Amino acid sequence: MSPVLDTASMPPQDREEVVRHAVWESVVAVDIDHPVPAEDISVRIGLGTFGPLRVLSARATAVTVRRTEQLAREDEEPLVFLGLQMTGTSLVVQNGRECLLGPGDFAVYESVAPYTLLFDEGVDHHFFRLPRAALALPERLLRDVTAVTLGPGNPVARLASTYFSRLAADDTLRQGAHADAVVEPSIELLRAVLASQHGDARRAREPLEATLSLRITHWIRAHLADPDLSAARIAAAHGISVRHLYAVLSRSGISLGDWIRALRLAECRRELAGPGGRLRTVAAIGRRWGFVDATHFSKVFKRAYGISPRAWRDQNGPGGPRLSG
């Protein structure tokens, strides 16, 4: 995610106010306390927007964030936040509860009630913000799941953690139709997490099924280079049968084997033309993306793109020493 704020080039005396203003303008009004001297304050923030879903990714020195009672009363539109911890730990406090977040854990909290976020070890965190109305969940249910560690013991939350971390990191998903395509499934997945955490199986079931195709395709992309990628493994990772896997993908117009092959060929094509394309043999690049047989790889590549992988590299790769094969 491209940074929109980096205090490294700012005068120390301006950093605290610039950070506060940026967070107020882009996310929500909060008090921010930096326990380190002004010259030691370091904050790097990136922003992304997917329709009503806003993402702020931050790396920073230690900080405490407080949404005071007065600020909460002034809220015009109730908002829900998802805070996803990447490294280190942090603490979320709201509604008389507090939860500790470790890497991969996340918690939700609301703008309409005071909360405190403590990042004593520094910040490495993704913050997602959306209107509370978009979740369409009862207010009582939301109150019951705020400031609760989500991840351990909840398989739906573990899936969501992987999904939201990739969503925050993938710049291409914020462009055009891609951004529109992920809004509804993202909200549905969060709704499923919160409903399942609350023990409401009925509310959790429909969003899980609605987002299954998207979660499967994201998982496949993340494991594309795995040599043991198979229908059985994909199905097992999502707790469904192979037959159900094929049915779900078929409804989305996806033929599993053809789609995986096309994705892998696209990665080979990209890598062959990239800066490291001449540092490895064509066969090695093919093997990296699951094409074990070099002759077969060359044939399917040429069938897909009308040119052999070696010729593609020679025409499109950067200059430099070549490896044969």
Side-chain angles (χ1 to χ4, degrees), residues 19 50 53 72-73 85 116 137 177 182 227 246 250 288-289 297:
V19 171
F50 306 82
L53 186 65
R73 284 200 304 269
Q85 188 76 18
T116 301
L137 287 172
V182 300
Y246 281 115
S250 177
R288 166 171 158 71
W289 293 105
F297 169 51

Side-chain angles (χ1 to χ4, degrees), residues 190-264:
L190 180 56
R191 182 184 294 127
V193 172
L194 301 183
S196 64
Q197 184 71 29
H198 194 262
D200 191 332
R202 180 185 63 82
R203 291 184 189 276
R205 193 176 302 114
E206 291 180 3
L208 276 177
E209 186 62 28
T211 62
L212 183 56
S213 178
L214 181 71
R215 290 187 285 113
I216 288 171
T217 55
H218 270 265
W219 192 93
I220 291 172
R221 287 179 183 275
H223 296 81
L224 203 56
D226 294 359
D228 60 343
L229 184 64
S230 65
R233 186 178 170 214
I234 296 165
H238 293 84
I240 59 176
S241 67
V242 171
R243 183 177 180 180
H244 190 183
L245 169 70
Y246 281 115
V248 168
L249 294 179
S250 177
R251 288 197 295 269
S252 299
I254 294 174
S255 172
L256 182 61
D258 292 342
W259 188 68
I260 289 176
R261 182 166 52 252
L263 290 177
R264 285 175 161 171

Side-chain angles (χ1 to χ4, degrees), residues 39-193:
E39 60 269 20
D40 293 332
I41 293 175
S42 174
V43 179
R44 185 179 175 88
I45 291 174
L47 285 177
T49 301
F50 306 82
L53 186 65
R54 174 157 289 195
V55 188
L56 182 147
S57 298
R59 293 181 67 91
T61 45
V63 69
T64 298
V65 177
R66 291 185 178 89
R67 175 82 167 166
T68 65
E69 193 165 342
Q70 180 179 345
L71 291 172
R73 284 200 304 269
E74 295 172 356
D75 204 10
E76 295 181 1
E77 180 185 28
L79 301 168
V80 172
F81 299 92
L82 182 159
L84 174 59
Q85 188 76 18
M86 299 309 295
T87 62
T89 62
S90 65
L91 192 70
V92 178
V93 182
Q94 189 174 53
N95 293 331
R97 289 187 297 273
E98 61 180 48
C99 66
L100 182 69
L101 302 182
D105 296 339
F106 64 95
V108 295
Y109 42 97
E110 298 185 87
S111 66
V112 294
Y115 63 76
T116 301
L117 312 178
L118 293 95
F119 298 94
D120 292 341
E121 302 174 5
V123 182
D124 187 4
H125 210 81
H126 296 305
F127 302 86
F128 295 81
R129 187 197 79 178
L130 71 158
R132 187 173 71 182
L135 277 174
L137 287 172
E139 293 182 19
R140 175 61 185 272
L141 186 153
L142 276 174
R143 283 197 303 272
D144 287 347
V145 295
T146 56
V148 172
T149 302
L150 299 170
N154 185 332
V156 184
R158 290 198 298 272
L159 287 172
S161 173
T162 301
Y163 171 82
F164 283 109
S165 63
R166 287 182 57 81
L167 183 64
D170 194 337
D171 290 339
T172 62
L173 287 175
R174 294 194 299 279
Q175 300 171 6
H178 297 297
D180 296 335
V182 300
V183 171
E184 185 174 348
S186 300
I187 294 173
E188 290 287 341
L189 182 55
L190 180 56
R191 182 184 294 127
V193 172

